[in-house]
Amino acid sequence: MAGQAKVVDKLRELARNLWWTWQPNVIGLFREIDPALWTATGHNPVEFLQRIEPERLEGMAAQVALHSRIDYAFRRLAEYLKNTDSWGSVHASCLRSRPVAYFSAEFGLHESLPIYSGGLGVLAGDHLKSASDLGIPLIGIGLLYAEGYFRQSLDGDGWQQESYLFNNPDLLPIEPALDAKGNPVRISIDTNAGVLHARVWRAEVGRTMLLLLDSKVDENNESDRALTSRLYGGDARVRIRQELLLGVGGVRALAALDINPSVLHLNEGHSAFAGLEMARSLMESEGIPFGEAAREVATMTVFTTHTPVAAGHDRFPGQLVEEHLGKIREGLHLSYDDFLGLGRVHPGDPNEPYCMTVLALKLDRHANGVSALHGRVSRQMWHPLYPNRVEEEVPIGHITNGVHVQSWLAPQMHALFERHLGPDWARNMSDPDTWANIAHIDDAELWETQQILKASMIDFVRWRLASQARRRDEGDGAIEKAGKVLDHDALTIGFARRFATYKRAGLVLSDIERLLAIMDTSDRPIQFVFAGKAHPEDKYGKELIQNIARLARDARLENRLVFVEDYDMNVARHLVQGVDVWLNNPRRPQEASGTSGEKAFLNGALNFSILDGWWAEAYDGTNGFAIGHGRSHSVPSIQDERDHASLIEVLANEVVPLFYDRDASGLPRGWIQRQKSALRSLSWRFNADRMVMDYVQNSYLPAAAGLTCVMPRS
């Protein structure tokens, strides 16, 4: 029994630290114990272990000889947590006593912790993971959504249906946050509409910590208990109360845990109220006026904006702001008009709503967009806030997003890199020299690895489509048909993301006859895999999904176009690891960054994209394909026509011929060279380690020292 408890305890310890989410060998441990249960629990090891009796677990572990592997994984976690030999220990040691506090409305760490909706959250999750790997003292602050973002299904007519599942905290890798006396941390916020209460949960993400505020407590009324139910749900009143809880509540949670941050990093404007609470706290503790406190807060605040469209920034009417921030305003000793002026481009205009991005920009000295182009767009967008400066001198720079490689890289590609780049490649992935040996990988080995991943992706898609057919009671014929979709040898193009209007999910399908003319070539077949969610209130986005679902049933596209429901991190992982081409065609310059393509090229896919976001600074003519020439027409419909024409032309004349140009051994040598060029030129730049190191050097260290830094421009 002692050995039995030891195995269970070690597995529970592994399950409680989200380090396992980027450790394929640890994931494999849980999967091998009971593959069916692992799938049934949504890859959630906490729930997985609760549903297995210890005796049965011990028997399974012995049966498949997992004891030594469990011990090894447990030792690796312990060594990882204790290791002080990190990049951060050398380059960011001053943050040890006063860490970075990283605020975000969502965190995408893994599908088993569904408190994210899309790219913003996944970016935040990758930021925490790389901070952990680099040894950067950083604490995330977010909200624990009881129902998360919605689960998606399509009805028989292809119309998106939303459902919400309860996320039981007992089945999540979180624990109550405890103060120095061992008491559960509670915070409260006094508003003119009553007192808002919340408890605080703690999640371990490797060597970093994530604090999550939860309003589902007895002290709150029914509407406030539901405040943290859904991500991006509800009206303006719900949104401002969520953002109040995130910003003000987050700062108070840190104080309750006796954590004194040297840097506030606001990931988008949702958390801008944190700056107000920090200023109020400084005024109270130091006896200084608001102006001095605001300057102190600004020097320590880093603000990352992700939204290049004016309509995408949160704005609230003044009356709603006073209802919820009136007590904070009084603590800041500001008049009603002066307080509202903090959130206005034109402070004296009573008709201008209160903008969270404006507040964040006024309370920071370190602002950045998430790509070079987005930085330029942001300077243009917010130039009116700085009327005495020329546009080029608007204090918004850029740090281009990257992805956490270990979370998104297929194990087969990891093994390939380890063989050819050396065992320490992951520690040195941001060094260009690390990737020099990509050129020497045998073409056949790289191609075969990618084909294995493609086959795995197709198996996954077939399984998901069969499950969809069963749920809709479509009969045995439909289920059998689902098991035959997609051709292992066909050029496979993936498109998966939010179905927001500017992302133009239907662009490639806008002239179906012309597309079919390219697809209807027996010796050069093409197939498409689509996935993505439309916001519940986005009728146009739902119509796009419905159109794709209907086309998937068109006899002319049978087995060659599919839509995978309920896009999440699990679906994304399979698609970016298995497609040949990753398609991205936003309306330039509305894609701030677009990191899905960064996940794809790491696994051997080639990007086929508009020159927007990260791709505008990544494409060099040899490492993927470009749609258009990086210009935008003032009339959107004309731009759509031009981009569609370019998309079809490049697909027909460049992508398809290169993929099917095979030598005597059946290898597409030109295609493989382009894959190698992508890995060689892009991997060292577009990873989250490089991104976090840029934040440390360009933002965190100057902010911690109370300096105003000059951000990179382009």
Side-chain angles (χ1 to χ4, degrees), residues 62-73:
Q63 189 177 25
V64 293
L66 293 178
H67 280 88
S68 61
R69 291 169 58 194
I70 292 170
D71 288 342
Y72 176 67

Side-chain angles (χ1 to χ4, degrees), residues 443 606 622 658-659 661 667-675:
D443 286 358
L606 292 180
T622 71
L658 190 65
F659 183 82
D661 182 16
L667 294 175
R669 299 285 182 178
W671 187 272
I672 295 169
Q673 285 307 115
R674 204 165 283 221
Q675 289 177 303

Side-chain angles (χ1 to χ4, degrees), residues 311-334:
H313 297 264
D314 286 339
R315 290 175 168 86
F316 301 109
Q319 184 177 1
L320 195 64
V321 174
E322 176 64 13
E323 178 186 352
H324 294 93
L325 276 296
K327 298 295 184 181
I328 300 291
R329 175 183 64 76
E330 293 171 2
L332 296 171
H333 306 304
L334 293 176

Side-chain angles (χ1 to χ4, degrees), residues 321-540:
V321 174
E322 176 64 13
E323 178 186 352
H324 294 93
L325 276 296
K327 298 295 184 181
I328 300 291
R329 175 183 64 76
E330 293 171 2
L332 296 171
H333 306 304
L334 293 176
S335 70
Y336 175 83
D337 290 337
D338 287 345
F339 184 76
L340 289 183
L342 292 173
R344 292 170 173 164
V345 174
H346 306 288
D349 182 359
N351 297 315
E352 182 180 341
Y354 190 93
C355 177
M356 297 296 284
T357 300
V358 172
L359 175 64
L361 289 170
K362 287 185 177 182
L363 291 180
D364 83 73
R365 295 293 180 271
H366 316 269
N368 67 277
V370 290
S371 69
L373 177 58
H374 180 231
R376 191 158 71 243
V377 170
S378 297
R379 289 190 289 278
Q380 180 182 26
M381 178 184 297
W382 298 110
H383 185 213
L385 194 57
Y386 308 91
N388 297 322
R389 302 190 186 199
V390 297
E391 184 179 304
E392 291 73 19
E393 294 179 356
V394 169
I396 303 174
H398 80 273
I399 293 178
T400 302
N401 283 346
V403 299
H404 185 251
V405 172
Q406 303 288 54
S407 290
W408 296 102
L409 190 68
Q412 295 89 337
M413 290 297 290
H414 186 285
L416 181 76
F417 292 164
E418 196 160 82
R419 284 196 299 274
H420 295 279
L421 307 183
D424 292 330
W425 73 268
R427 285 176 57 90
N428 303 305
M429 69 175 72
S430 297
D431 182 349
D433 292 339
T434 298
W435 301 91
N437 281 338
I438 287 290
H440 304 301
I441 296 176
D442 182 74
D443 286 358
E445 184 180 8
L446 177 58
W447 181 249
E448 182 61 27
T449 301
Q450 209 274 331
Q451 294 309 295
I452 291 171
L453 295 177
K454 184 176 181 177
S456 177
M457 184 271 293
I458 289 175
D459 287 345
F460 170 77
V461 170
R462 288 174 174 176
W463 174 76
R464 287 292 290 251
L465 293 177
S467 298
Q468 293 170 198
R470 288 190 189 93
R471 180 184 51 76
R472 288 194 290 262
D473 294 323
E474 293 179 346
D476 293 341
I479 296 171
E480 183 179 353
K481 180 180 176 181
K484 298 177 180 178
V485 301
L486 304 180
D487 179 349
H488 286 79
D489 297 321
L491 172 63
T492 304
I493 300 174
F495 182 100
R497 52 189 42 85
R498 286 188 302 117
F499 269 60
T501 302
Y502 76 89
K503 293 180 181 287
R504 300 188 297 186
L507 188 67
V508 69
L509 306 171
S510 58
D511 186 342
I512 197 65
E513 299 300 330
R514 192 172 177 189
L515 181 62
L516 283 168
I518 302 172
M519 297 178 69
D520 287 340
T521 305
S522 60
D523 61 338
R524 301 196 307 185
I526 306 172
Q527 56 197 12
F528 291 88
V529 181
F530 284 87
K533 295 177 178 179
H535 188 277
E537 303 301 321
D538 184 0
K539 182 175 180 291
Y540 179 74

